[in-house]
Amino acid sequence: MNENEVNAILRQADEVAQVISTEWSGLQGVYMPGMGQALDFQNAVLQACERIAGIEGYAQEVVASLAATREVCFVAGQQNWIHQIDQYMQSMEESRSTLSSVIHGYHMLNSAFELGANLDALHDLTNSTFAHNSSPQHVGNHEAMRRQLTELLPLQEHAAGLLQRVQELIAIPYSEAIPPQVHGYLETVKSNLDEKYAVIDAYVTALTEQLTAV
């Protein structure tokens, strides 16, 4: 291979490395939205995941091109290029590892956001149930109490599932790829879920006891 052909492949590797570096910097600048403030956050995160998947595909093509170029140079006895190509291949592996970390970071952002959105929905459903079944005309009404218990039981199960999920995410070992505010966001979600679950559980227990005593 001539010098121009080899340099063209090496330039592609440089471009991929630069793009990956930019994606890493971009991830570190992402901030979780406030509780209940979805805006276009999730769409942006999902678009980033799609974009990075495309970068990963291109990176694989460049690695394959480097390997093929190395083989041609080896057969042709062009030792002067082989060492440089080896360095680029090592650098590409490091860049692809960084890219995997970026993908992991965005997945964590998305999971945290979905938990927050689920918490908001749970909050609205629980309040709606309380408002519907706790009006003066329903107080002491066994039919209303049974209806409220029936509505609260799946909410209690859902809250328990969300708590398990947030605990799993919090337990994931620290990684530089995960924006630091994510763990704080998850801790806030967990705290709010603990409170919401305690309220639902207290109502379920009280309603069960009252209906059992009938």
Side-chain angles (χ1 to χ4, degrees):
M1 299 186 72
N2 63 47
E3 182 175 351
N4 289 336
E5 291 173 326
V6 175
N7 282 332
I9 300 298
L10 299 184
R11 277 196 299 272
Q12 288 181 344
D14 284 332
E15 290 170 2
V16 171
Q18 181 57 51
V19 168
I20 292 174
S21 177
T22 299
E23 290 291 347
W24 172 272
S25 298
L27 172 63
Q28 301 310 306
V30 174
Y31 288 90
M32 298 297 299
M35 301 300 292
Q37 299 176 356
L39 299 177
D40 296 321
F41 177 81
Q42 189 173 36
N43 285 337
V45 168
L46 294 177
Q47 288 171 7
C49 290
E50 292 180 6
R51 183 176 66 249
I52 293 167
I55 296 171
E56 170 61 18
Y58 183 52
Q60 290 177 351
E61 293 177 6
V62 172
V63 169
S65 295
L66 285 170
T69 301
R70 187 189 191 286
E71 180 63 23
V72 171
C73 290
F74 179 79
V75 171
Q78 296 173 305
Q79 296 295 326
N80 56 317
W81 288 112
I82 291 177
H83 178 65
Q84 189 171 0
I85 293 172
D86 284 344
Q87 290 180 321
Y88 268 81
M89 291 181 72
Q90 176 61 37
S91 177
M92 280 298 298
E93 287 306 311
E94 294 172 358
S95 292
R96 291 179 67 191
S97 177
T98 297
L99 194 60
S100 294
S101 296
V102 172
I103 292 173
H104 171 61
Y106 274 113
H107 284 169
M108 280 290 292
L109 284 169
N110 189 51
S111 294
F113 172 81
E114 287 183 339
L115 273 169
N118 272 282
L119 172 61
D120 289 338
L122 177 66
H123 179 77
D124 292 341
L125 284 170
T126 304
N127 286 349
S128 176
T129 298
F130 290 155
H132 179 68
N133 295 294
S134 300
S135 56
Q137 65 267 31
H138 290 151
V139 175
N141 184 312
H142 293 152
E143 182 181 344
M145 292 166 66
R146 289 190 185 92
R147 180 174 61 247
Q148 185 169 25
L149 181 60
T150 299
E151 293 174 358
L152 284 175
L153 285 173
L155 293 180
Q156 182 187 39
E157 182 178 355
H158 183 48
L162 292 177
L163 271 172
Q164 179 179 352
R165 177 59 176 153
V166 74
Q167 287 166 350
E168 290 171 352
L169 291 177
I170 289 174
I172 292 176
Y174 171 79
S175 166
E176 290 184 355
I178 303 175
Q181 73 273 9
V182 170
H183 284 291
Y185 183 86
L186 290 172
E187 290 289 354
T188 299
V189 170
K190 182 181 182 304
S191 177
N192 291 341
L193 276 170
D194 282 334
E195 293 177 6
K196 184 60 64 179
Y197 182 84
V199 171
I200 295 173
D201 188 60
Y203 268 84
V204 167
T205 299
L207 288 168
T208 300
E209 291 175 351
Q210 292 178 53
L211 289 170
T212 301
V214 174

